[in-house]
Amino acid sequence: MNTKLSRRVLLQGILATTTALATMRAFPAMAQQSGGTLNVGLTYELDTMNTYSTGFLADAQHTVIEGLIAPDKDARYVPVLAKEVPTLDNGGIVLSDDGSKMTITYHLQENVKWHDGEPFTSADVKFTWEAVKDPAFIAESKDGTQDIDSIDLPDDYTVVCNYNTVKPNFASTLFTFGIMPKHLLEGTDLNTSSYNETPVGTGPFKVAEFVRGQYVVLDKNTDYWRTAENGDALPYLDRLVFRIVTDSNTLLTQLQSGELDMAVSVPYGRASQLEGVEGLEIIVGPQLSWGHLDFNFRNELLADVNVRKAVAHAINRETLIRVQGGFPIAIKSLVLPIFDLYDDATPEYAYDPAAANALLDDAGYARGGDGIREKDGKRLSFAFVIQSGRADDENVQQVIIAQLKEIGIEATADNKAGVAYREARYNGGYDLIYGRWITSADPVYSTFYGSEGENNGQGYSNPELDVVFARLENTLDAEERKAAASEMQRIIAEDLPAIALTQGVSVIAKPVELKNFVPNPTNMTNFVDTKEWYLEG
């Protein structure tokens, strides 16, 4: 079956297709077949196989490495290496008498083995915390490590984390991304360890070969600790091969030819080209993502809020949606409407070129002979970075360039591939940058726009906002969190470190014979639970 990708079918697909698959998943495993290889196209370069070091999504890594808990298809956390998700109700979370700190206890699965046959124990959990927080380790994010003062290990299968604060979004950090083996990594340099290319995990697949810039081959873990409801050994698939295909045209060609079986990031504007391809079907799933345009505050012209507001008024979201095949949805806040913390009263900047021009006129930016504005001899001319080869982002970039030109701002494409893009994003190697964040089920927003945020490469700092982040991210009180989230959204909308433009969806091409696949909307990716996937026939 191939889906006609109209806007109406898109909305139906998000609801109906995902529901149908979830219903199928609920049946006992009776007709599943073992064997087969699935070739998957990755649209970004694999910089490392270490989940804590990668600057990209960890699709391949999550088939190898498991965490204590993980988000499911509904973005709800479920147990993995832990027996249950800690909560106040089940006693897994205990608040201090004054409510300022908390203790979280994990009870671990027993009889779990690492890929080398060694037993998984609580010592591995504590080691992971110690390794990631180590200042010498270069991690993409150390979020969550600083919130824990100490970890107690009453026995091999109990972990007691003593927090120095209350962390409502503890589940979206640290132990969810994966546990590392103490017996292999203790005393080694994690920055140079072979673990970064061939990690040993507890997951359903093991790394057989990793060739940078080309592919990673993952073979079935024949001693995997989990089984299907009917007692079948898991996983069903023999092999997963992730092939790095960063160019959208090449991705489409290889899907059409059968060289690739699957891609979970089909370019919106190219999805219709896969209609009618034999053996291939399109699934549209929800995704906790938003497209955003960020400003580098190290550029004194962009540090002027009038320039940023003018840019916001110059962008027509409907045009951006149209060039992306009608898939995204216009938004005005970094908090997506699906979340309880979303505030519909958040200020917004309507498409209004006249207002944009007035802002720049009043701020003293006059048009030069070429139509580009300048002030005190400094032109409103900016380097605009996106990740090379991503067709949707390239289309968005060209639209924004044209719309900014209409108000006298010059934006020049300065696109970068792979690691170069990652370095630019984290280190501020841009004036303007467009990208899409995919978040956890309970996002930590300070990581993006906090003064010390791991993903804040903009040089942006707002002490007032930092105080609000602290309120939001250090209480379990729902009303207090809601109030802080509203204040956060207001400040970000008024200060404009970035412009939230559109909410994305996941357009997935998969073989018809691949069964038990269910889209996952979070940053843990669609590959966080591959153990029961199988190829029919």
Side-chain angles (χ1 to χ4, degrees):
M1 178 185 71
N2 290 287
T3 307
K4 293 291 184 180
L5 300 177
S6 67
R7 185 62 175 267
R8 181 176 65 181
V9 171
L10 161 66
L11 296 174
Q12 292 173 340
I14 293 174
L15 299 173
T17 307
T18 303
T19 301
L21 286 167
T23 302
M24 176 186 70
R25 181 69 182 278
F27 287 108
M30 297 181 66
Q32 280 82 337
Q33 299 164 303
S34 294
T37 296
L38 189 67
N39 290 284
V40 181
L42 278 185
T43 57
Y44 56 87
E45 290 187 21
L46 273 173
D47 50 352
T48 174
M49 283 293 290
N50 188 330
T51 57
Y52 288 100
S53 301
T54 183
F56 300 96
L57 291 175
D59 297 271
Q61 293 90 325
H62 287 312
T63 69
V64 177
I65 309 300
E66 294 179 311
L68 299 185
I69 59 179
D72 67 6
K73 65 181 179 61
D74 298 313
R76 297 189 182 118
Y77 287 101
V78 295
V80 184
L81 292 175
K83 290 182 177 180
E84 63 182 0
V85 179
T87 66
L88 287 170
D89 289 339
N90 65 24
I93 300 177
V94 177
L95 296 176
S96 61
D97 290 340
D98 64 359
S100 66
K101 300 178 182 180
M102 68 182 186
T103 298
I104 293 182
T105 299
Y106 294 97
H107 298 286
L108 306 182
Q109 304 281 359
E110 301 175 17
N111 301 315
V112 177
K113 294 181 180 179
W114 292 100
H115 291 159
D116 64 357
E118 290 296 310
F120 160 76
T121 71
S122 57
D124 297 306
V125 179
K126 183 175 182 178
F127 169 77
T128 298
W129 169 63
E130 293 172 335
V132 176
K133 76 169 182 173
D134 184 347
F137 175 46
I138 303 171
E140 187 274 337
S141 173
K142 295 176 181 282
D143 194 39
T145 60
Q146 72 281 6
D147 302 317
I148 299 174
D149 275 342
S150 63
I151 292 181
D152 300 324
L153 306 178
D155 56 55
D156 283 349
Y157 301 105
T158 306
V159 179
V160 181
C161 301
N162 301 303
Y163 281 74
N164 52 42
T165 185
V166 174
K167 206 69 178 174
N169 42 25
F170 74 93
S172 64
T173 64
L174 196 57
F175 300 133
T176 298
F177 289 107
I179 305 301
M180 295 188 284
K182 177 181 180 179
H183 69 282
L184 291 177
L185 297 178
E186 187 175 34
T188 67
D189 183 352
L190 259 180
N191 296 313
T192 59
S193 171
S194 61
Y195 178 88
N196 296 317
E197 295 190 347
T198 54
V200 171
T202 60
F205 292 91
K206 303 190 292 185
V207 180
E209 185 181 13
F210 176 31
V211 179
R212 289 186 180 277
Q214 297 185 47
Y215 58 81
V216 59
V217 178
L218 309 174
D219 285 342
K220 171 191 290 194
N221 175 9
T222 55
D223 198 23
Y224 186 51
W225 61 277
R226 287 196 278 191
T227 58
E229 288 183 10
N230 67 352
D232 281 354
L234 296 174
Y236 290 115
L237 293 173
D238 281 343
R239 173 171 283 187
L240 279 168
V241 181
F242 288 88
R243 301 187 183 278
I244 298 169
V245 186
T246 59
D247 180 75
S248 296
N249 292 323
T250 305
L251 182 77
L252 267 290
T253 298
Q254 292 187 2
L255 284 168
Q256 291 167 332
S257 68
E259 186 174 349
L260 290 176
D261 302 313
M262 184 177 186
V264 296
S265 297
V266 175
Y268 297 147
R270 307 288 182 85
S272 62
Q273 296 177 28
L274 297 177
E275 294 180 25
V277 175
E278 185 177 357
L280 204 64
E281 64 182 349
I282 300 297
I283 290 179
V284 180
Q287 191 175 72
L288 302 180
S289 74
W290 79 92
H292 53 96
L293 181 71
D294 293 357
F295 302 96
N296 191 333
F297 279 67
R298 299 175 186 88
N299 185 312
E300 62 180 298
L301 297 174
L302 293 174
D304 184 344
V305 70
N306 295 298
V307 174
R308 301 197 300 275
K309 288 182 176 180
V311 171
H313 278 305
I315 296 175
N316 187 341
R317 288 170 173 78
E318 291 306 313
T319 306
L320 300 184
I321 292 168
R322 188 163 59 250
V323 299
Q324 295 179 87
F327 285 96
I329 300 167
I331 57 173
K332 61 179 179 178
S333 170
L334 76 163
V335 180
L336 300 179
I338 192 173
F339 291 126
D340 292 338
L341 297 180
Y342 174 73
D343 187 350
D344 191 48
T346 299
E348 60 184 312
Y349 297 84
Y351 173 57
D352 190 343
N357 279 308
L359 278 165
L360 295 174
D361 288 339
D362 292 345
Y365 295 95
R367 290 184 184 265
D370 60 357
I372 303 304
R373 294 175 181 269
E374 62 180 58
K375 180 180 179 181
D376 298 330
K378 297 178 181 178
R379 302 172 77 244
L380 291 183
S381 179
F382 306 115
F384 187 0
V385 171
I386 63 163
Q387 186 174 347
S388 298
R390 297 176 67 93
D392 291 324
D393 293 0
E394 290 171 349
N395 290 338
V396 167
Q397 182 186 49
Q398 290 305 309
V399 169
I400 292 176
I401 286 174
Q403 292 177 344
L404 294 185
K405 187 176 181 180
E406 291 296 313
I407 65 168
I409 295 177
E410 179 180 63
T412 304
D414 182 26
N415 302 340
K416 303 180 187 301
V419 175
Y421 172 78
R422 172 191 173 180
E423 292 301 314
R425 186 181 72 189
Y426 283 106
N427 298 320
Y430 58 86
D431 293 321
L432 303 172
I433 189 168
Y434 172 81
R436 282 173 278 170
W437 293 121
I438 302 177
T439 74
S440 66
D442 191 3
V444 180
Y445 294 105
S446 63
T447 192
F448 304 111
Y449 304 116
S451 296
E452 302 299 326
E454 291 90 347
N455 292 317
N456 178 358
Q458 307 171 241
Y460 174 68
S461 178
N462 184 330
E464 179 189 5
L465 182 59
D466 290 336
V467 171
V468 174
F469 280 138
R471 286 171 48 207
L472 172 64
E473 296 169 5
N474 292 279
T475 180
L476 296 177
D477 186 283
E479 291 186 4
E480 172 63 14
R481 294 199 76 208
K482 178 71 172 175
S486 294
E487 186 73 358
M488 172 192 73
Q489 291 168 83
R490 179 192 63 77
I491 293 173
I492 289 176
E494 292 176 352
D495 210 20
L496 271 186
I499 306 170
L501 295 169
T502 55
Q503 178 181 351
V505 296
S506 182
V507 179
I508 301 162
K510 62 171 282 291
V512 173
E513 63 266 25
L514 178 64
K515 306 300 181 184
N516 280 359
F517 169 78
V518 182
N520 188 294
T522 75
N523 61 352
M524 290 297 288
T525 86
N526 290 288
F527 296 91
V528 71
D529 187 11
T530 56
K531 64 185 184 298
E532 294 188 56
W533 295 8
Y534 73 97
L535 294 169
E536 188 175 55

